[in-house]
Amino acid sequence: WVLTTMKMKPSRGEGQRGRVGGGGGDRSRKSYAHHQAGGIVSELLRAKEKRRGGASIKSLVYANDIQSKKQVYALCCETLRHLELIKEVLRRAKFSLGPHKSEETADGDEGSFVDTGAASTRKACVVYVWVYELLFGRWDGIQEGRRFAPVASKESSLREAHKVVMAASADTSSGKSPASLTPTQQKVFPRYVRVNTLKIQVDEALRQLVEEYGEESVKMNPYLDDVIELPPNVTDFYGHRLVRGGALVQQ
């Protein structure tokens, strides 16, 4: 009789989920996914810096300790695809990793951490993931208390920096002289296309695009093995035969 009347004490994890309330457990998993994605992005960037091979995004995402694998995979891919733009926005916003110290560039001037040795640390990569979420993702759908505080506190300056960088990029690619632009403003971002490997092999897609646009203009993305970079002035790509046939998908 004692056994049938005792109330089972919830486990530690269950108690934590219960205290969140109102679907908070799901929101907690979402914020944790961003931090796990940051860790994977950091591993990939460090491997690239050291010029050594490493695990692929998929093998890292499908490790046993990764929760919400589909979401983490999408966050990694999208963050890496937008990484140069994200870094440019962080430079413009003079975003700091620490609340009480500024980063210094190689020449000693105050700058952004993206130009220092801290650029590929886990902490930095978590920032990249959350800035991606802010600028391109589902930031508005994340409860305020679950947003990454360092990014949330700089939301206005990051959004304003994004507008400035995009406007400058548009001016440069439209043919205006870059002489009047700052070095940050002169950055022009490529057009990305993802290869649908069900329709065509990556090597074949790359070969055809190189034949059409030139070897210097077409490059593989350094982080994603199925993404090709085209010149930013390619504006009529929607009608390209590979896009119409489903072999390439514009990003």
Side-chain angles (χ1 to χ4, degrees), residues 13-235:
E14 290 172 344
Q16 289 173 339
R17 288 192 294 270
R19 286 193 294 272
V20 174
D26 181 58
R27 288 192 293 270
S28 178
R29 285 192 296 274
K30 286 182 178 179
S31 60
Y32 188 51
H34 293 80
H35 287 69
Q36 289 194 316
I40 291 174
V41 170
S42 177
E43 283 196 50
L44 295 167
L45 293 183
R46 286 178 177 273
K48 182 175 182 291
E49 285 177 356
K50 295 177 180 179
R51 298 181 182 276
R52 59 174 172 80
S56 66
I57 294 179
K58 286 187 177 180
S59 65
L60 292 172
V61 166
Y62 284 95
N64 291 334
D65 61 327
I66 301 297
Q67 304 173 11
S68 306
K69 298 182 188 300
K70 184 176 181 180
Q71 184 189 10
V72 171
Y73 179 74
L75 285 170
C76 290
C77 289
E78 292 304 305
T79 298
L80 288 170
R81 187 166 69 86
H82 291 89
L83 186 58
E84 292 306 314
L85 174 57
I86 290 170
K87 286 184 175 182
E88 205 68 30
V89 169
L90 290 167
R91 287 189 188 98
R92 168 65 61 172
K94 295 184 178 179
F95 190 98
S96 172
L97 284 180
H100 303 299
K101 66 177 182 178
S102 61
E103 287 74 25
E104 291 187 352
T105 55
D107 58 6
D109 295 332
E110 182 179 332
S112 169
F113 70 89
V114 302
D115 298 311
T116 72
S120 61
T121 62
R122 183 186 180 94
K123 186 175 182 180
C125 292
V126 169
V127 170
Y128 300 152
V129 172
W130 277 102
V131 172
Y132 158 74
E133 195 73 275
L134 169 67
L135 299 178
F136 309 105
R138 301 179 180 179
W139 179 264
D140 292 338
I142 300 174
Q143 186 184 33
E144 288 188 12
R146 297 293 177 189
R147 295 172 179 172
F148 189 51
V151 171
S153 65
K154 299 291 186 181
E155 178 176 355
S156 296
S157 60
L158 288 167
R159 290 191 184 279
E160 183 60 31
H162 179 231
K163 291 179 183 178
V164 172
V165 170
M166 293 307 294
S169 179
D171 286 345
T172 306
S173 60
S174 66
K176 293 185 179 180
S177 172
S180 61
L181 301 176
T182 66
T184 297
Q185 289 176 318
Q186 292 180 29
K187 183 72 174 181
V188 180
F189 302 98
R191 180 176 296 275
Y192 301 97
V193 291
R194 186 181 298 278
V195 180
N196 179 359
T197 54
L198 297 176
K199 296 276 189 178
I200 191 173
Q201 295 297 314
V202 174
D203 290 344
E204 176 59 21
L206 180 64
R207 184 189 66 77
Q208 292 188 33
L209 292 174
V210 166
E211 286 183 354
E212 189 166 348
Y213 295 103
E215 187 173 356
E216 295 183 357
S217 299
V218 181
K219 300 177 181 178
M220 290 299 304
N221 184 274
Y223 309 110
L224 303 174
D225 55 14
D226 61 348
V227 172
I228 298 175
E229 299 179 358
L230 297 175
N233 58 357
V234 177
T235 58

